[in-house]
Amino acid sequence: MSILARINTPADIKGLSLDELDILAEEIRGRIIEVIKNNGGHLSSNLGAVEIIIALYYVFDFPKDKLVFDVGHQSYTHKILSGRNDLFDTIRREGGLSGFPNIFESEYDAFCSGHAGNSLSASLGYCVARDNLGEDYKVINLVGDASFFNGEYLEALSSNSNKPKGLIVVLNDNGMSISRNENALYKFISKITTKKSYSKFMYRADKTIGRTFIGRGLKRFKNFIKFNVNKTTAIEALGLKYVGIFDGHNVKELVRIFRNIKDSDRAVLLHLKTVKGKGMSEAENNSDLYHGVGKNLSSGVSSFSTKISEVLGDFAKNDDKIVCVCAGMKDGVGLSDFAKEYPNKFFDVGIAEEHAVTFAAGMARGGLKPFVCIYSTFLQRAYDQIMQDVCLQNLPVIFMIDRAGVVGADGATHQGLFDISYLTDLPNMSVFAPKDVEDLKIIIKECLALNSPCAIRYPNGTNDEFEEHSGFDECVWEGDTNADNVILCVGPRMLRLAREVKKSSGKSVSVVNARRIKPLDEKFLNK
């Protein structure tokens, strides 16, 4: 019997030997790859976090202790170990497990997540609730290096310099580092300072000589070493004891470190280096491509996204003022080729949608024509910036809204269902929905001419080109204008469905491709 087959509850993990944990890690990786091949899902991010989550389950007591994920697309091992392995084959399927932590799915899911940056705020809130209610548990925040620099995360990080005891931030760093590369001296110092014996010694020393000349001198010397070896005093000043950098795939070392810091008298930031896609060579070498995959590990195809670089490139070729901005999703929104061809016209600001919008507003105010390419569900985070910084100043920022509408298996946090509602309420904003890529080109040309805020929304997935195209008309009739029934369609999915209804209903039906959602073409509609 495999080790994984023996794990029915988290308590079963604690009975394993440290050597068995390495075997368990490989079995979990195989399980994740097998299921994602059938269902699709987030692959490389989950493969990179296996040992960290195993070590957390080995040392801490979930669900009493709280594990708060940032984004949550790396939570598959957590789901497998928390009694959901038998259901893991249903992940991202209708009626099955969510691809992200979901408090309505399991008591082990401490907080719903799906968008980056919210985890430290939630973790700090948990700590305040725990302390005010006189309860006793640890709060572990697992965050990636990209999310760590998200605006909301930095707000939580700098909110005060007295972080609560019993908070452990685990930084899963598989790309951008917050400090220098691994340093042997600092690693040695970190190993010493995480030991319980060191903590006890420092507590007693602080009580006896801490405020004397010698005590102050020793503290200054320790901080001098930390600053000059690894530049970590900024983190310490924010109320977190910095520990790192360690191998995030050495499960035995992780267990030892977690045991040492579990009862620390201060909040701790543990910095771990990992490999995204660990254990699968294709995913390790192409971690971005294998971040999110379809069935049989295929790349998802989106007709609009795959053409964005070409379409915007054709406009940029003839207009030096055109620039493109995205928020950490260059591949997802289809701008990789544009970035290669026009490196000086492309700006990826990281997971910072609010900054992306105001950044574009500043460029527009300075005379450029910025295109902001962001998923519908992520653009919600910048609602205030769209209103205050773009629309009130009537600036010519064009929002290219990818994944508009239902997106499928990623679940509730990723559905692009609200953009029509929140964008059509804003002053000076025009909203469009092309039926295909050719329609998109016509609309972009019109948006550039309007010289005011515009939003162009389009779905993911494959979308065939329609045969009919005209100039820029807000609404386009298909059929008899005197028909008894008129169906107004927004976007290609609805247009295709309406055409099917027209053919099968046996009634007098006209179909209207309403590609301009706002402002309404009142003259046309009054007909």
Side-chain angles (χ1 to χ4, degrees):
M1 178 184 290
S2 70
I3 292 176
L4 181 56
R6 290 156 42 193
I7 306 298
N8 297 310
T9 69
D12 298 327
I13 302 167
K14 299 181 183 299
L16 300 178
S17 67
L18 291 177
D19 289 333
E20 287 177 314
L21 296 184
D22 284 319
I23 301 172
L24 177 62
E26 293 310 306
E27 292 180 358
I28 288 177
R29 277 199 174 85
R31 178 82 167 123
I32 289 173
I33 292 171
E34 172 193 19
V35 171
I36 292 182
K37 278 184 178 178
N38 293 327
N39 295 12
H42 291 92
L43 182 60
S44 54
S45 53
N46 279 290
L47 296 181
V50 174
E51 285 85 1
I52 296 174
I53 296 172
I54 289 175
L56 286 170
Y57 267 83
Y58 198 72
V59 174
F60 294 91
D61 299 307
F62 304 118
K64 178 188 174 185
D65 293 324
K66 312 302 178 186
L67 178 55
V68 180
F69 287 88
D70 203 288
V71 183
H73 59 279
Q74 76 283 49
S75 63
Y76 289 6
T77 300
H78 156 73
K79 288 179 181 275
I80 289 171
L81 294 179
S82 57
R84 286 173 275 182
N85 186 34
D86 290 344
L87 295 172
F88 192 60
D89 294 281
T90 70
I91 198 163
R92 293 168 52 90
R93 289 183 175 176
E94 186 175 0
L97 296 180
S98 168
F100 296 84
N102 185 345
I103 63 170
F104 304 107
E105 179 179 294
S106 170
E107 62 178 337
Y108 290 90
D109 291 355
F111 200 80
C112 287
S113 57
H115 290 185
N118 67 342
S119 61
L120 184 56
S121 298
S123 297
L124 290 169
Y126 250 125
C127 290
V128 170
R130 173 199 65 197
D131 297 343
N132 283 8
L133 296 174
E135 297 176 342
D136 180 26
Y137 56 80
K138 312 298 180 186
V139 180
I140 300 95
N141 168 209
L142 181 56
V143 59
D145 51 289
S147 295
F148 193 87
F149 291 95
N150 171 268
E152 184 180 358
Y153 201 94
L154 291 177
E155 287 178 12
L157 195 62
S158 59
S159 59
N160 63 71
S161 59
N162 296 308
K163 299 296 187 294
K165 179 181 175 182
L167 169 67
I168 298 172
V169 176
V170 180
L171 174 59
N172 176 13
D173 179 4
N174 55 37
M176 180 172 54
S177 176
I178 64 169
S179 54
R180 292 183 182 179
N181 291 333
E182 289 195 40
N183 181 286
L185 175 59
Y186 192 82
K187 202 168 183 181
F188 171 72
I189 293 172
S190 288
K191 285 184 177 180
I192 292 175
T193 58
T194 59
K195 291 182 178 178
K196 293 178 182 177
S197 56
Y198 171 85
S199 297
K200 290 179 180 178
F201 169 78
M202 290 302 294
Y203 175 79
R204 291 169 182 165
D206 193 55
K207 289 292 184 182
T208 54
I209 65 169
R211 298 184 181 181
T212 67
F213 174 78
I214 296 175
R216 292 195 301 271
L218 288 173
K219 286 181 180 178
R220 282 197 295 269
F221 177 72
K222 185 181 78 170
N223 289 335
F224 171 81
I225 291 291
K226 285 185 174 182
F227 178 78
N228 283 282
V229 172
N230 225 31
K231 311 294 186 191
T232 59
T233 51
I235 292 296
E236 303 257 351
L238 293 171
L240 291 162
K241 176 181 176 61
Y242 180 89
V243 177
I245 304 170
F246 295 100
D247 181 1
H249 299 299
N250 186 333
V251 70
K252 295 176 184 177
E253 185 173 50
L254 290 174
V255 167
R256 178 187 61 77
I257 295 169
F258 283 136
R259 282 174 171 167
N260 284 342
I261 66 177
K262 181 178 182 180
D263 296 312
S264 173
D265 58 351
R266 293 176 57 194
V268 175
L269 169 64
L270 173 60
H271 188 171
L272 304 175
K273 289 289 287 184
T274 60
V275 176
K276 196 170 182 180
K278 175 72 173 177
M280 183 179 176
S281 58
E282 302 99 310
E284 287 187 30
N285 296 329
N286 300 281
S287 59
D288 289 343
L289 294 177
Y290 283 85
H291 175 80
V293 295
K295 293 181 180 180
N296 299 315
L297 308 185
S298 61
S299 297
V301 177
S302 176
S303 298
F304 284 97
S305 301
T306 55
K307 290 290 186 178
I308 286 298
S309 280
E310 178 185 333
V311 171
L312 294 181
D314 287 342
F315 282 97
K317 191 184 304 179
N318 301 310
D319 191 338
D320 290 337
K321 293 184 177 181
I322 288 177
V323 292
C324 288
V325 180
C326 75
M329 299 289 291
K330 177 177 66 175
D331 295 324
V333 297
L335 286 177
S336 296
D337 290 340
F338 184 95
K340 292 175 185 175
E341 188 172 359
Y342 301 100
N344 295 327
K345 293 186 172 188
F346 170 76
F347 303 89
D348 185 347
V349 302
I351 307 175
E353 293 85 0
E354 301 96 325
H355 166 55
V357 172
T358 305
F359 178 50
M363 289 193 286
R365 191 73 184 90
L368 295 179
K369 302 174 183 178
F371 287 77
V372 178
C373 305
I374 298 179
Y375 286 11
S376 171
T377 183
F378 299 148
L379 189 62
Q380 293 167 183
R381 311 186 72 166
Y383 180 83
D384 184 64
Q385 286 72 25
I386 300 171
M387 169 64 182
Q388 297 287 335
D389 301 332
V390 176
C391 290
L392 284 185
Q393 301 185 80
N394 198 24
L395 296 176
V397 177
I398 299 175
F399 296 93
M400 307 293 286
I401 305 175
D402 206 329
R403 269 66 167 179
V406 176
V407 300
D410 275 342
T413 58
H414 282 58
Q415 307 299 341
L417 301 177
F418 302 105
D419 54 79
I420 291 178
S421 298
Y422 70 75
L423 290 173
T424 52
D425 281 339
L426 298 179
N428 298 317
M429 175 67 81
S430 299
V431 184
F432 303 90
K435 65 181 179 182
D436 57 17
V437 174
E438 190 61 35
D439 221 20
L440 175 65
K441 297 175 184 177
I442 297 169
I443 289 173
I444 289 175
K445 185 177 180 180
E446 178 68 16
C447 289
L448 288 169
L450 286 173
N451 201 39
S452 61
C454 295
I456 306 173
R457 66 186 308 272
Y458 42 88
N460 68 341
T462 56
N463 180 60
D464 295 330
E465 292 289 297
F466 290 82
E467 294 179 2
E468 311 84 358
H469 294 94
S470 61
F472 186 81
D473 296 313
E474 290 83 354
C475 299
V476 180
W477 283 101
E478 293 184 6
D480 183 3
T481 57
N482 296 315
D484 295 331
N485 305 280
V486 177
I487 304 177
L488 298 170
C489 310
V490 172
R493 292 174 177 170
M494 297 302 103
L495 182 56
R496 192 172 293 110
L497 180 61
R499 285 181 165 187
E500 293 173 3
V501 170
K502 179 181 177 181
K503 290 178 182 177
S504 62
S505 67
K507 296 184 178 181
S508 173
V509 175
S510 279
V511 173
V512 175
N513 175 28
R515 59 185 178 189
R516 187 163 91 173
I517 304 168
K518 185 205 172 187
L520 292 175
D521 184 352
E522 296 182 12
K523 182 180 178 181
F524 177 91
L525 293 174
N526 283 335
K527 296 179 183 178

